[in-house]
């Protein structure tokens, strides 16, 4: 029996080896340039420690030891991030030398990312009557978690780093149920409450002070195709929210030309494929619900 | 080049240190009272072993070794939970001494939590035709997982423990896509099927024998503000479901005064901001859908 | 004080031991046949390495060392999977001997699973204008992740293995927000975009080349009960999609007799409980939205 099992495995290995040649789209042999997801996520975790010192990562930080701690952390992040970017850039046939420049330029953006995140945390506290302290927003809110990863991934995407921003984003999506494409442009003081099911597409533009609730889609109406019938990649397909727009749970806003004017509110469940002027409320007619007696004896 | 990189990092550390002073909302230096998420989640995992012995945690349990095993487990949980609660209580300027009392009182509730969970598991099996065995409900159902964490977190919240119940709940939210605020009051034999996208707000009250499906929101209509325009925290903002209410997928029920009477059913996708008497079915009018021929040659 | 704590714990252990007898549905003592979730998920991870060599698992694979690597991996998977299946089969009072046959027959299906996954990855790239490379689909797309686990779990379910397919599926559900019952039958070149909130029920049948977006439910209308009022398990309760059907975000399609004809499109948010002929578009009437001026001074 053991012998039979052995020859079964050998036969299976033959077929899988043949399959790896025939269906080579889902193998990645003899190639070194694939970013390592574990290392990318390790970098992301360290960046949380840099951006929220004392909240994530080392817990014994003081104003005295902060600088030395940061220094060590950033040295490590720089080395690992640069090697991952160097690998990813080969998708674009770019030299590893550019990885060094990109890594430096990205790290240089960290203070600005911190400034934005501080405003996002305040917006989360201000927007949620169930919040008790801004620390709760930092430690617990999936919206803050997803926006933190987005602000990191978006900077890397601006430097045209392949794959790594998407690996970071999909980690955040798995953690939070919030799916923000790293290409989306999001202004300061942004808050997503609850968040499960939120989808924000690649070419979305969001102004300052916007709020979005669970189940909101900012998506594409239909996908433009080129003259050969292939999807066009890179066209603006997703909507624009101007400043101080609120979109309540389950609303869907579609289209690259759809602009929601500053200060406007889109009510829950609304399906919207047209622009809205400033300072308006968009509402669907209240559906006449029907009550039908179940015909049970009252208890 | 290495020298340049070095001075870049030093310069960046200076700017991040300045940022940590300027944007101090997202740092937590020289402070010890922050609960440790890793320890909180470790306690939560051990509590699963206490509540479902043989299913989670140690797998070699018998009726003979159960008591000794439980004893050791509870000693460990008590120590770690007490230290975490002591830290969290400093948000309220309370003394660590109260942490000991709360921990004891919380542990004392575990047999009652077990009684409730046993009924929840039976409700899950009874409510799902795809279930093959109650063991499947214990091991696999996200609804059972989320309700287990809720029943633990809710007890801690009743003792006014800050932050720790929210850390537990957001872990369950990340695992299951089900977002139940620890403040919600939920009666026995509760079942959530599939669950992704469910949101149950802080002041929701749910009776016995209720069932809720994926994408259901039990939420707030709008947020009352105080005379200074700040959100009021703690007011009843979320609905009440009496006993034996079923809410099908994607329905939204809003408002602190909205009461769904015992035995009533809210159909899928209904948007409801008003109360419903007992034993009724709430339905939206069936929307007249349109079929449009795509004009393709039939294949 | 320590003494008091000690006697409290002893008293609590007594009550929990009594509770484990009284509420025995949620304990699993003196029993060895429960599958071990950690081992099941370890097997699932190794299978990812077998199906996507070089993408998951070992990263230094070449065409030269692939066969030796596969051989070792498959030997390990076979041993662990067989022992888990042997445990699970005791739910059916089956002998462990059958576990060996099932494991061999399952592994024999791996090349066919690879063929299907290669087509799924191509469908993901073809269907998403934000995709830059098929590698991105393999590494990042939650839809590809969920369908990979489904194709593995579905094969195990066809051999009537209890519990293990459900453990695998709920892991994928937790990772992706996509809930596909392992019983569902899904044709080749299937793509789920974004995916959070998708529910595909146990008796769903999906043809070739279908696409489904976030928040889609393929569900049951109501649950048929037997003459004793118990839920009937196993009846076809979920819809059928023929080939090349697209279902946009948030649509709900219910019922075991509901058939969506080949080439048809169900628009976003449509609620559908009836069949649709081939090559049609199903749309809800565009709801007349209302714009209400918020009465703010224009800024």
């Amino acid at each position: 029996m053991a012998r039979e099992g052995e020859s079964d495995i050998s036969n299976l290995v033959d077929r899988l080896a043949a399959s790896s040649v025939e269906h080579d789209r889902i193998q990645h042999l003899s190639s070194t340039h694939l970013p390592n997801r574990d290392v990318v996520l390790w970098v992301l975790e360290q960046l949380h420690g840099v951006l929220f010192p004392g909240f994530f990562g080392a817990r014994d930080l003081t104003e005295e030891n902060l600088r030395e701690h940061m220094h060590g952390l950033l040295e490590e992040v720089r080395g690992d991030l640069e090697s991952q970017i160097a690998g990813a850039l080969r998708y674009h046939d770019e030299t590893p030398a550019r990885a060094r420049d990109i890594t430096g330029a990205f790290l240089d953006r960290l203070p600005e990312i911190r400034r934005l995140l501080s405003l996002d945390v305040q917006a989360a506290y201000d927007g949620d009557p169930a919040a008790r302290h801004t620390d709760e927003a930092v430690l617990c809110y999936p919206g803050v978690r997803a926006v933190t990863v987005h602000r990191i991934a978006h900077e890397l995407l601006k430097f045209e780093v392949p794959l790594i921003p998407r690996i970071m984003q999909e980690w955040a999506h798995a953690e939070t149920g919030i799916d923000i494409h790293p290409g989306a442009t999001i202004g300061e003081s942004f808050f997503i409450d609850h968040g499960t099911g939120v989808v924000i597409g690649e070419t979305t533009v969001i102004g300052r002070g916007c709020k979005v609730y669970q189940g909101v889609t900012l998506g594409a109406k239909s996908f433009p195709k080129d003259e050969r019938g292939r999807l066009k990649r890179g066209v603006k397909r997703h909507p624009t929210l101007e400043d101080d727009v609120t979109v309540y749970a389950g609303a869907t806003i579609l289209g690259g030309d759809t602009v929601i004017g500053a200060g406007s509110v889109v009510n829950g469940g609304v399906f919207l494929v047209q622009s809205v002027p400033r300072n308006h409320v968009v509402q669907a007619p209240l559906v006449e619900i029907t009550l039908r007696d179940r015909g049970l004896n009252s208890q």
Side-chain angles (χ1 to χ4, degrees), chain A:
Chain A
M1 282 298 275
R3 288 268 138 193
E4 271 182 45
E6 180 53 39
S7 82
D8 286 351
I9 294 263
S10 291
N11 174 269
L12 181 55
V13 167
D14 289 342
R15 289 160 59 212
L16 285 167
S19 162
S20 98
V21 175
E22 189 182 1
H23 305 294
D24 62 350
R25 192 183 296 129
I26 60 171
Q27 50 102 317
H28 211 275
L29 303 180
S30 309
S31 169
T32 55
H33 70 278
L34 200 62
N36 185 326
R37 184 173 185 267
D38 292 342
V39 177
V40 168
L41 297 182
W42 186 90
V43 166
L44 190 57
E45 193 181 333
Q46 307 318 308
L47 288 173
H48 276 77
V50 170
L51 294 166
F52 301 92
F55 279 109
F56 300 111
R59 295 170 58 83
D60 54 351
L61 296 181
T62 64
E63 284 171 40
E64 287 67 45
N65 66 17
L66 176 67
R67 296 171 54 92
E68 189 183 336
H69 172 76
M70 280 285 192
H71 205 288
L73 207 50
L74 287 167
E75 288 285 8
E76 283 192 81
V77 164
R78 184 175 58 173
D80 281 328
L81 185 57
E82 184 179 322
S83 75
Q84 294 303 310
I85 291 177
L89 285 176
R90 288 181 222 170
Y91 278 98
H92 290 179
D93 297 317
E94 286 189 88
T95 61
R98 216 170 105 65
R100 188 182 183 86
D101 296 340
I102 291 175
T103 303
F106 165 76
L107 292 178
D108 193 57
R109 300 286 296 159
L110 289 175
E112 170 62 8
I113 293 177
R114 256 201 116 243
R115 187 186 72 81
L116 292 171
L117 292 175
S118 178
L119 295 170
D120 295 327
V121 164
Q122 186 63 42
Y125 178 74
D126 291 344
D128 182 7
R132 293 292 178 271
H133 194 288
T134 54
D135 288 3
E136 194 180 320
V138 173
L139 288 171
C140 305
Y141 276 45
V144 171
R145 174 61 61 112
V147 173
T148 299
V149 175
H150 174 74
R151 297 209 184 278
I152 294 167
H154 183 63
E155 286 301 320
L156 289 169
L157 189 112
K158 287 203 286 190
F159 295 114
E160 301 184 7
V161 175
L163 257 180
I164 294 173
R166 291 278 291 132
I167 290 172
M168 291 177 166
Q169 170 220 348
E170 285 298 348
W171 177 82
H173 183 191
E175 282 288 300
T176 66
I178 298 168
D179 182 358
I180 311 176
H181 194 285
T185 303
I186 299 181
E188 60 190 44
S189 299
F190 183 54
F191 176 43
I192 300 173
D193 203 3
H194 306 298
T196 309
V198 165
V199 175
I200 298 178
E202 184 184 15
T203 62
T204 304
V205 176
I206 295 177
R208 296 177 180 214
C210 290
K211 269 199 295 191
V212 159
Y213 288 78
Q214 72 269 19
V216 164
T217 292
L218 306 178
K221 252 194 278 206
S222 65
F223 298 146
K225 295 188 179 174
D226 67 17
E227 64 282 6
R228 291 165 63 185
R230 295 173 309 194
L231 291 174
K232 279 193 190 171
R233 299 176 196 265
V235 182
K236 185 164 188 334
R237 309 181 301 281
H238 307 95
T240 296
L241 311 186
E242 293 181 354
D243 296 346
D244 300 312
V245 166
T246 299
V247 186
Y248 283 110
T252 299
I253 307 177
L254 305 183
D257 300 329
T258 304
V259 179
I260 312 302
S264 284
V265 174
V266 179
N267 276 358
V270 166
F271 183 90
L272 194 62
V273 290
Q274 64 189 76
S275 292
V276 172
R278 296 165 69 109
N279 293 320
H280 280 70
V281 177
V282 187
Q283 54 200 13
L286 201 58
V287 169
E288 195 65 41
I289 56 163
T290 314
L291 293 180
R292 181 162 56 78
D293 195 316
R294 296 184 68 193
L296 306 173
N297 294 326
S298 113
Q299 294 167 330

